[in-house]
Amino acid sequence: MPARPRGRPTIIDTDPGVDDALALMLALRAPELDVRLVSTVAGNVPLARATANAATVLDWIDPPARPLLARGHARPLRRRLRTATAVHGDDGLGGAAPLGRGPRGVPGDAVARIVALARQHAGDLLVVALGPLTNIAAAIEADRRAMRGIGRLVVMGGAIRAPGNVTAAAEFNFWVDPEAADRVLTAGLPTTLVPLDATHQIRLPRARLRDAAGRRPSGLAARVVAITRSLLDGRFRVDGMPLHDPLAVAVAIDPSLVSTERLAVRVETASTLCAGLSLADLRTGRTAAPTDVTVATGVDGERVLELLESRVLGRCARRAPTVVVVGSANTDLAVRVPHLPVPGETVHGASLETGFGGKGANQALAASAAGAPTAFLARLGSDERGDAYRAHLGRSGVEAITPGPGRGRAPPTGAALIVVGPDGANQIAVAPGANAALSPRDCRLLTGRLGPGRVLVTQLEVPLPTVEAALRLARAAGATTILNPAPAAPLPAAIAPLVDILVPNEVEAAALTGLGVADPREAAAAAEALVGRGFRQVAVTLGARGVVWSDGVRTRRIPGHAVAAVDTTGAGDTFVGELAAALAAGLALAQALARANAAAALAVTRPGAQVRVGRAAVDRLLAAGPGNRPTRARTRRHGAQGGDD
């Protein structure tokens, strides 16, 4: 298994436990998560055994960057410890754990290390709590401000509308330490709760485990078979084993796997009969409170099982991204009108259409649709539009790297207001929102994702210092860099040496050079002028007239394709995404530009900013059209209808 790229800084707080062990395996095999700390807590088994089991799983995985293992609390805040060895076995791993005294030299300062990582990483930090919340409550007590500033806490625990699994009222983790659970859920941390309501919707049947592991399972799959055997042969023989803790880790990897609602949740601590009960305020019309938590309610069970199978039961983790996009994500609000309005004019159009856009996201999805494993760094708001966008990226197969809001108030997700005329031409106004908060510091999340053979793409809908930081990081790592200077804005001289391929359209090329760019001949002059300013390659997109590019030695043109335009929104982004994917696949620049030109032409035949063109459609258009052969820019024109920004 190749070394995985560095993902989001993550803490796993756990009490292994069979399903905890599966969850820890999944976390350590996920390139989206950079597990820095595994902290143990007493719960399913006593603390010493939980620590030994966590060390055993770490040995089984042997990750390229081994996280620190630290012991936490050996008993609940106010109660005696009650374990679940009757379920998980005396060793906690179904009788499959190596017995002995356990690992030596494991520090007992888990709470201090949790707080230290919260201070260090702030809104980038992800904490996944799989056991009783004793350690997390203690960390909040130690530094509430630092803990409230983390990016996300994912908690497996509680039962909202479902019955408990240890008493009629309570789920095990909350029943073991209800005081800790109540403190954590009312502390105001950005929390996602994964209760029994969700976890009981996803089970691992014995037959599916056998099929996934195969006749000759890998070493890790064989371990999974061993530790789950007693449960799958026993109490879960008929329906399969609930994947409580693996679902929490899966949600940390991909929040779109579950549907959610915002609720105020308290945990009963005073009652003997109902200790550990999760009481959610389900009244309609209730005013939202800062301590409300996001509660998982529905589950895409098939996708969760596929994730577990692909990451743990044989196949390696997903391929590292070959295209990395740094940029913007917007909610698009579009209306079609009989003609574009002039200043002061009101034009009545059709119904309002809501979709996903933003140049960065458009380009990331175009690269992914072209077959390139793609990662996308962007800021999204902590609002419904941001949650919807995260889910959309997950469904689209793009690895979303979305930094948390940090200590300040999170701005809303960006929005674009689009007016589309009858010929597909458009007018666009953008409210940047969270896009304006993407910082140079956020680019550090790309460490490990860039290197020779990979391609970085960025644009100008995020702050220019962030664009420059991303380009410098990619240049230092040996990646190919593409800058789409849109929307048009002046570029400092320091940017040019960092860019391998500059991709402006006519408007942007004219703004950068001061030259007129009304036809391919003028576009060639603009491209040559930009090369003279230090850009290595410049490709000027001309919509219906194709693309002109220059490297200072030669200047060439690829004509457009004859298509019926419906909506030009995002066609330029399709061009950039397809270009990046083609270069990442090893194509020469001329071939890559031809594919990008064809993809952009296909994009204008469909409405919306994010059109999944597909490789087969591009291949067919290249085979049929005249736009597959580069020609001298100054000697040939082609008036076909093509893509534009």
Side-chain angles (χ1 to χ4, degrees):
M1 180 176 176
R4 59 188 177 92
R6 306 291 274 185
R8 186 173 182 178
T10 302
I11 296 170
I12 305 294
D13 188 67
T14 183
D15 60 336
V18 173
D19 59 325
D20 303 72
L22 293 179
L24 186 53
M25 293 175 188
L26 179 58
L28 294 169
R29 294 290 291 268
E32 298 87 349
L33 308 181
D34 177 14
V35 181
R36 302 289 182 87
L37 172 68
V38 176
S39 54
T40 58
V41 65
N44 284 321
V45 290
L47 181 63
R49 176 44 52 186
T51 306
N53 288 349
T56 295
V57 174
L58 287 171
D59 289 340
W60 288 346
I61 298 291
D62 191 22
R66 189 180 178 98
L68 178 70
L69 176 63
R71 291 179 289 113
H73 278 250
R75 59 185 298 272
L77 294 180
R78 297 183 182 176
R79 302 171 186 249
R80 66 177 180 86
L81 176 63
R82 295 169 290 187
T83 66
T85 54
V87 176
H88 297 272
D90 290 339
D91 66 346
L93 295 182
L99 297 177
R101 298 179 61 183
R104 297 183 179 183
V106 176
D109 58 353
V111 172
R113 293 184 182 275
I114 291 171
V115 171
L117 286 169
R119 292 170 179 166
Q120 177 184 354
H121 295 289
D124 297 333
L125 184 65
L126 179 66
V127 181
V128 185
L130 305 177
L133 291 172
T134 318
N135 289 342
I136 308 302
I140 293 170
E141 182 70 20
D143 192 334
R144 179 178 294 264
R145 181 178 178 182
M147 292 300 293
R148 291 183 69 171
I150 67 172
R152 177 62 49 179
L153 169 66
V154 180
V155 172
M156 190 280 122
I160 305 302
R161 298 179 178 90
N165 63 351
V166 66
T167 71
E171 177 273 333
F172 177 80
N173 287 339
F174 285 13
W175 177 74
V176 169
D177 198 344
E179 286 79 13
D182 192 57
R183 288 188 192 181
V184 171
L185 294 185
T186 57
L189 276 67
T191 301
T192 297
L193 182 65
V194 183
L196 296 182
D197 309 58
T199 65
H200 277 158
Q201 298 178 45
I202 174 68
R203 292 174 178 265
L204 178 63
R206 182 172 52 173
R208 179 144 187 173
L209 173 60
R210 182 181 62 245
D211 292 344
R215 293 184 178 181
R216 295 183 177 180
S218 67
L220 188 59
R223 301 286 190 185
V224 174
V225 171
I227 67 176
T228 59
R229 181 175 291 116
S230 63
L231 292 176
L232 290 174
D233 287 348
R235 67 173 60 207
F236 301 127
R237 180 182 181 89
V238 176
D239 296 329
M241 185 180 77
L243 295 175
H244 303 298
D245 296 321
L247 179 58
V249 170
V251 169
I253 295 170
D254 182 358
S256 74
L257 292 170
V258 295
S259 56
T260 62
E261 59 182 314
R262 292 283 293 177
L263 295 171
V265 182
R266 296 295 304 270
V267 180
E268 175 61 36
T269 60
S271 168
T272 301
L273 186 62
C274 296
L277 176 144
S278 312
L279 180 61
D281 192 340
L282 302 175
R283 294 173 292 179
T284 57
R286 183 187 66 84
T287 302
T291 55
D292 285 4
V293 299
T294 300
V295 180
T297 54
V299 180
D300 189 335
E302 185 59 32
R303 286 176 60 205
V304 175
L305 286 173
E306 290 176 354
L307 182 70
L308 185 67
E309 291 169 357
S310 64
R311 305 294 178 86
V312 175
L313 297 177
R315 299 192 298 275
C316 188
R318 77 162 70 174
R319 291 180 292 164
T322 58
V323 173
V324 176
V325 181
V326 177
S328 57
N330 294 321
T331 299
D332 284 352
L333 305 173
V335 60
R336 297 183 177 277
V337 294
H339 65 272
L340 296 179
V342 299
E345 181 185 12
T346 299
V347 179
H348 290 279
S351 61
L352 183 70
E353 301 171 4
T354 302
F356 299 102
K359 299 191 72 64
N362 296 348
Q363 292 167 8
L365 268 74
S368 177
T374 303
F376 176 43
L377 173 64
R379 283 265 181 181
L380 296 170
S382 299
D383 50 22
E384 290 184 0
R385 289 186 285 122
D387 292 342
Y389 219 124
R390 291 179 182 89
H392 170 61
L393 291 169
R395 290 191 298 270
S396 301
V398 172
E399 178 191 353
I401 310 168
T402 54
R407 298 187 186 280
R409 183 177 180 182
T413 300
L417 309 179
I418 305 172
V419 180
V420 182
D423 61 351
N426 60 63
Q427 296 174 341
I428 304 174
V430 176
N435 295 312
L438 190 68
S439 70
R441 182 177 179 272
D442 294 330
C443 294
R444 293 186 297 179
L445 298 175
L446 300 179
T447 302
R449 291 176 168 85
L450 295 168
R454 298 179 185 177
V455 179
L456 175 93
V457 176
T458 189
Q459 337 75 33
L460 301 182
E461 284 188 341
V462 295
L464 189 57
T466 305
V467 171
E468 183 173 348
L471 291 169
R472 288 191 183 280
L473 184 66
R475 169 68 74 236
T480 299
T481 56
I482 298 175
L483 173 61
N484 174 215
L491 293 175
I495 290 286
L498 304 176
V499 178
D500 289 310
I501 307 168
L502 185 74
V503 187
N505 66 9
E506 308 104 305
V507 174
E508 294 143 10
L512 289 172
T513 62
L515 303 174
V517 185
D519 56 39
R521 188 177 297 274
E522 293 180 347
E528 291 164 0
L530 288 167
V531 171
R533 296 184 186 182
F535 295 99
R536 300 184 182 188
Q537 305 261 6
V538 178
V540 181
T541 60
L542 300 172
R545 292 161 296 182
V547 58
V548 171
W549 90 95
S550 177
D551 60 4
V553 177
R554 59 175 185 168
T555 300
R556 294 288 185 269
R557 176 185 168 220
I558 299 175
H561 293 269
V563 296
V566 173
D567 185 355
T568 62
T569 306
D573 297 329
T574 299
F575 182 101
V576 173
E578 183 79 28
L579 173 64
L583 292 173
L587 271 65
L589 181 59
Q591 296 172 297
L593 287 169
R595 294 194 65 83
N597 188 50
L602 291 169
V604 305
T605 66
R606 309 172 194 177
Q610 294 180 354
V611 177
R612 298 185 69 86
V613 173
R615 287 175 289 182
V618 172
D619 290 340
R620 288 193 295 270
L621 186 58
L622 285 174
N628 58 332
R629 293 179 181 175
T631 61
R632 294 189 180 276
R634 302 182 187 277
T635 60
R636 180 175 178 180
R637 295 185 60 187
H638 182 77
Q641 184 72 29
D644 201 356
D645 287 313

